[in-house]
Amino acid sequence: MENFSYLDPGKPAIFKDQFVTKVNECIVPFTDGAKGEIGLIGLPFSKTSISFSQAAEAPKTIRACLSSYSTYSGEQNKGYEDVKIIDFGDVITHPTSTDESIERMFISVREMLDQDVCGRYILLGGDHGVSYPSIRAFQEKYGRIGIIQWDAHHDVRNLENGGRTNGTPFRSLLEGGFIQGEHLVQVGIRDFANAKKYHDYTKANGIAVYTMADIESEGIVQIVRRAVERLSSLVDVIYLSVDMDVVDQAFAPGCPAIGPGGLTSRELLNSISEATQHEKVIAMDIVEIDPSKDFRDITSRLAANVMLKFMYSGK
């Protein structure tokens, strides 16, 4: 009888179907000379959250959820097993200094971009404060940058009450001169979730704001399609910033700022798929998931699906 071992030390005992390629199997760590279609980086920082949050744990949780999905799209009848994802790892943040952590994230994202080994990028937060250093890095690399922000909140809070927080990234970018107001589109802004002062700030700065009422009457795919078409004529590249609290609490219970009346998971996925069709859309961050607040990784699994739509939408 031939000797055969069913032990594989150091590796999980998982079922493997020879005809199925899981998304996580397409992820390879960055090494000199490596090239791929998608660059992936984790920004595990949530100390700027105005409410208690362990969103710093989200990058590893979302990565783990990718093992639940195959690279085959039945809707497109197309396999994406040859799409290589280059993982640049997670930024090592400072244990106490917020300013130092923000600078480290900026440097690390810019370092990833300077490698020029990928055409598109996914950044996993972290709270929404990580978008400030990330978008700065993209702006420095590519020039004029347009942003579509999926969010229940404007995230243009003042900087006097607490400094830079997860509620200030877009005010920080605007007042730092890194973006222009007319190049920012906010989608999914929820009722009774913001202050009049910040509503007025968005209008004064030329930010395009689409509320849940607008989505209900016009449809989110049509709104996003128009936004991408308009931005593409004004900017060099487009960056998608997905705050998962834009989704209704029924579909995303793992967000620190959950609430009713948000997007369904299908609305989010369809709108991401629509935006990703345009060649100028080169990056997306996903933020505001606290795995400790989640149930059976519902929110992280949705985030993983958002990644699939960004990576595999037939571009």
Side-chain angles (χ1 to χ4, degrees):
M1 181 177 178
E2 182 180 354
N3 291 328
F4 186 83
S5 177
Y6 294 96
L7 299 176
D8 196 357
K11 296 182 180 180
I14 57 174
F15 172 77
K16 173 60 181 172
D17 186 320
Q18 63 177 315
F19 299 114
V20 177
T21 302
K22 296 297 184 71
V23 177
N24 64 305
E25 297 177 61
C26 300
I27 300 176
V28 297
F30 171 72
T31 57
D32 288 339
K35 290 187 177 293
E37 286 70 33
I38 305 293
L40 178 64
I41 191 170
L43 307 176
F45 189 68
S46 53
K47 290 183 178 179
T48 54
S49 180
I50 60 177
S51 58
F52 177 75
S53 171
Q54 296 184 47
E57 300 297 314
K60 66 180 180 182
T61 305
I62 298 170
R63 279 188 180 92
C65 288
L66 292 173
S67 64
S68 297
Y69 301 101
S70 79
T71 55
Y72 172 70
S73 167
E75 294 178 358
Q76 301 177 59
N77 190 24
K78 184 176 181 179
Y80 290 94
E81 60 274 3
D82 294 329
V83 174
K84 186 182 294 184
I85 304 164
I86 307 295
D87 195 340
F88 288 82
D90 289 353
V91 177
I92 301 173
T93 57
H94 193 277
T96 58
S97 172
T98 294
D99 289 342
E100 174 64 19
S101 291
I102 290 173
E103 185 64 13
R104 288 185 185 188
M105 288 186 283
F106 167 75
I107 291 170
S108 299
V109 173
R110 185 57 206 264
E111 182 181 352
M112 173 181 70
L113 298 179
D114 285 343
Q115 298 297 325
D116 287 323
V117 296
C118 303
R120 292 183 290 155
Y121 302 90
I122 297 175
L123 308 98
L124 300 178
D127 67 33
H128 216 158
V130 307
S131 295
Y132 170 59
S134 175
I135 291 171
R136 276 178 54 211
F138 275 87
Q139 185 274 328
E140 186 177 274
K141 172 74 173 179
Y142 291 103
R144 295 172 301 171
I145 185 165
I147 303 164
I148 303 180
Q149 170 195 354
W150 281 256
D151 208 325
H153 312 95
H154 293 298
D155 284 359
V156 293
R157 289 179 184 268
N158 74 82
L159 296 169
E160 288 74 40
N161 297 135
R164 298 198 198 283
T165 70
N166 63 337
T168 67
F170 297 102
R171 191 184 195 109
S172 296
L173 289 163
L174 285 163
E175 297 189 355
F178 302 107
I179 64 171
Q180 298 180 35
E182 66 175 352
H183 298 165
L184 173 58
V185 179
Q186 299 183 332
V187 179
I189 300 299
R190 202 171 301 162
D191 212 12
F192 305 110
N194 298 276
K196 184 179 187 302
K197 186 76 172 177
Y198 302 132
H199 169 83
D200 294 343
Y201 181 90
T202 63
K203 296 303 180 185
N205 282 274
I207 299 169
V209 176
Y210 295 94
T211 66
M212 285 304 303
D214 295 323
I215 290 170
E216 189 69 21
S217 61
E218 300 180 50
I220 190 168
V221 171
Q222 290 77 10
I223 287 173
V224 168
R225 182 181 299 137
R226 291 200 310 270
V228 171
E229 289 174 355
R230 181 179 69 82
L231 288 176
S232 66
S233 66
L234 301 173
V235 301
D236 299 305
V237 297
I238 298 174
Y239 181 110
L240 313 181
S241 186
V242 184
D243 185 327
M244 293 295 290
D245 70 24
V246 73
V247 181
D248 191 282
Q249 62 187 8
F251 302 95
C255 297
I258 60 171
L263 299 180
T264 66
S265 56
R266 286 205 300 268
E267 285 176 318
L268 175 62
L269 294 171
N270 288 339
S271 59
I272 295 295
S273 181
E274 175 62 35
T276 303
Q277 301 297 320
H278 200 283
E279 62 183 4
K280 284 193 175 182
V281 175
I282 66 164
M284 176 182 67
D285 68 38
I286 303 175
V287 298
E288 295 294 344
I289 298 175
D290 181 347
S292 72
K293 293 181 170 65
D294 214 357
F295 176 72
R296 295 192 67 185
D297 292 330
I298 287 175
T299 316
S300 292
R301 287 173 179 268
L302 177 55
N305 267 266
V306 169
M307 291 178 65
L308 304 189
K309 290 297 184 181
F310 180 84
M311 295 188 296
Y312 304 147
S313 286
K315 202 169 188 178

